[in-house]
DNA sequence: CGGGATCCTTACGGATACTG
DNA sequence: CAGTATCCGTAAGGATCCCG
């Protein structure tokens, strides 16, 4: 069976190149990469906070009282591993740590803004008129 | 203790209004709403496909051979519950079903495009130069 | 101060089999 | 054709305690 890749018509906006033209969730697909970056509970909140500048561990704990130390350091480690956050440790006593976004981490700002905008749009569309089947009369192709 | 909400300086772009100014993952936060919409394995792939027009159940199964019937119908049900997808059933034999995006579902297109763009950017920034600490000398506030 | 180690519980995704 | 029902393994998130 020839794969459907050959015959399928591709939306140039949604899948401009081979990496996006996948038929399974592939780690190399840009969409998956971006989603992985912001995935996990608390992650977007942490990113939002780090967008305001470097923060310390305890500082973050104070800002997010319901976030346990374990999960916080887990999130921060993941963000480090993904190259989105960098750490700086000041020796001495007490120990000081600063977490800050890398360039890659800062690149997520646009996405966060878009997530917010889309979320608001969804809230508008789904709570305003609770009419089932929102589809308007004649519009499929713009 | 007065909550930090009163004293915290807010990024008007990241959190323009109270719903985004949360200190825990709240379901009402627009960012969470948007993330919930695209969350789950296979979800973005299904959305990408539905952006091209209505699709049938078996059609989707054929397009995604590695996606089991259980997970597919699970995803479709979730998307329906979130008001992102609508179903149309043709009676008779054999049964025909068509899944299509609602207006809310179509609103996700912009987000998918942004996810792709951000993902590519991340791939660029993290694979090109594998230098640790990507931060450039002097730039925090633009 | 800034975590790591351990344990537990639930949610998720996948495989298989069956039905209107 | 278009699903549902059942079972199962893994991973994610949280609670608690401990340590340099």
């Amino acid at each position: 069976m020839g794969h459907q890749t050959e015959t399928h018509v591709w939306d140039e906006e949604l899948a401009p190149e081979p990496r996006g033209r996948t038929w399974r969730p592939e780690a190399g697909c840009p969409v998956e990469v971006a989603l992985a970056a912001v995935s996990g509970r608390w992650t977007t909140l942490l990113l939002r906070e780090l967008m305001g500048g470097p923060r310390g561990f305890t500082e973050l704990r104070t800002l997010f009282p319901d976030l346990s130390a374990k999960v916080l350091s887990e999130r921060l480690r993941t963000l480090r591993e993904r190259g989105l956050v960098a750490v700086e440790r000041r020796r001495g006593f007490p120990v000081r740590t600063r977490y800050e976004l890398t360039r890659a981490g800062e690149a997520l700002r646009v996405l966060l803004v878009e997530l917010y905008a889309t979320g608001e749009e969804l809230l508008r569309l789904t709570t305003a008129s609770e009419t089932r089947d929102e589809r308007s009369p004649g519009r499929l192709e713009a």
Side-chain angles (χ1 to χ4, degrees), chain A:
Chain A
M1 310 165 182
H3 248 292
Q4 63 271 75
T5 312
E6 302 142 18
T7 56
H8 199 270
V9 291
W10 288 101
D11 187 317
E12 286 296 328
E13 207 181 9
L14 291 174
E17 28 139 14
R19 279 198 303 216
R21 305 188 170 183
T22 173
W23 298 102
R24 315 187 1 157
E26 316 260 19
C29 170
V31 173
E32 303 280 338
V33 171
L35 275 177
V38 297
S39 78
R41 215 159 130 87
W42 300 97
T43 302
T44 53
L45 291 175
L46 287 173
L47 288 173
R48 180 197 70 188
E49 213 45 41
L50 291 173
M51 293 283 170
R55 300 281 185 267
F57 189 87
T58 306
E59 188 178 0
L60 289 170
R61 288 226 61 192
T62 310
L63 288 169
F64 303 103
D66 295 347
L67 171 56
S68 78
K70 180 226 173 185
V71 174
L72 174 57
S73 73
E74 211 172 77
R75 287 291 164 273
L76 291 171
R77 180 171 353 106
T78 308
L79 291 171
R80 258 182 288 151
E81 287 167 359
R82 288 174 185 161
L84 303 171
V85 160
V87 204
E88 189 186 349
R89 292 195 175 77
R90 317 267 191 167
R91 319 300 224 82
F93 195 83
V95 185
R96 269 283 158 199
T97 320
R98 276 181 12 146
Y99 290 88
E100 65 177 334
L101 295 176
T102 61
R103 300 247 258 141
E106 284 173 354
L108 292 174
R109 169 179 280 269
V110 207
L111 177 57
L112 290 184
V113 172
E114 180 56 41
L115 280 168
Y116 198 107
T118 301
E120 279 206 310
E121 177 80 350
L122 291 183
L123 287 169
R124 272 204 326 99
L125 289 172
T126 52
T127 64
S129 60
E130 193 58 27
T131 52
R132 288 297 146 209
D133 198 348
E134 297 284 342
R135 191 155 267 288
S136 53
R139 31 164 295 290
L140 253 177
E141 298 298 274

